[in-house]
Amino acid sequence: MLDAPARGSINIHGSVLPRYRGAAPIQWAIARGETVTGITTFQMDAGMDTGPVLLTAETAIGPEETAGELSERLAVLGAEVIVDTLARLDTLTPVPQRHEAATLAPRLKKTDGALDWRRPARDLVNLVRGCNPWPGATLPTAGGTLTLWRARTVAGAGAPGTLVAQERTLAIAAGEGAVLPLEVQPESRRTVGWDEFLRGARLAAGHRLVTP
């Protein structure tokens, strides 16, 4: 099948190959803290995203950009790159990938969104961004699973998973720094702002939000 077309088979991928080969390059690039990603067109071979590269285009990842938001931007950029690739196909020289520099981006599972509060706050916020809109970054609480849809890092210290004072609100202490949730979704309920959630739950600094 790969050899059937006269000019070979061409694919488009949501990363700058050979980084983030696999089904979820956008999500893992954000979750791992990358600040730049892009689009690659390449000639398909028998491997997974391993064929010679035709064209690439890079774009910066916004500091609070989610996987869903980046996907929308890359769809537009990808359309431009594939049209350019087809227009220049007769003159492009396929460039073999540097396989030793490859990283993988496997399909996300629901468990990939589980937040480990022993990790630095920056890592946790990146995971929140990478898991939006699916599967969502989650933490277990006494009232059920809480999904964090948006968050940012702030200064703070305390036992990981504990609420700490943050100006006029509360943040969640991490292994390094703290996470300030912005939008959360309690189990089986609608998404609300963090302050609205805190008012309803009647929680205070020192409360251990994350249950074992």
Side-chain angles (χ1 to χ4, degrees), residues 2-152:
L2 293 174
D3 295 334
R7 303 183 187 183
S9 298
I10 298 171
N11 200 0
I12 183 169
H13 190 71
S15 76
V16 178
L17 291 172
R19 294 184 61 78
Y20 297 103
R21 293 173 176 171
I26 297 170
Q27 294 88 338
W28 284 115
I30 291 179
R32 291 173 183 163
E34 302 288 355
T35 58
V36 176
T37 187
I39 290 290
T40 303
T41 54
F42 64 100
Q43 288 188 330
M44 297 175 65
D45 60 14
M48 181 182 66
D49 304 325
T50 56
V53 170
L54 294 168
L55 283 179
T56 62
E58 293 189 352
T59 185
I61 301 174
E64 296 189 359
E65 194 167 26
T66 67
E69 292 164 346
L70 180 57
S71 294
E72 292 180 1
R73 287 205 302 114
L74 288 183
V76 176
L77 179 60
E80 296 171 353
V81 175
I82 192 66
V83 168
D84 192 19
T85 299
L86 294 175
R88 298 167 54 190
L89 195 56
D90 289 335
T91 59
L92 290 174
T93 300
V95 178
Q97 293 187 39
R98 294 175 53 243
H99 301 298
E100 68 277 8
T103 59
L104 299 181
R107 188 179 305 278
L108 284 174
K109 307 181 298 295
K110 292 198 75 170
T111 53
D112 289 324
L115 294 164
D116 181 352
W117 292 91
R118 296 169 296 183
R119 296 174 62 187
R122 171 48 57 193
D123 291 352
L124 297 177
V125 169
N126 288 340
L127 185 61
V128 170
R129 295 165 54 221
C131 289
N132 181 345
W134 196 90
T138 60
L139 60 146
T141 74
T145 299
L146 183 68
T147 302
L148 272 60
W149 290 117
R150 292 185 184 272
R152 62 171 57 112

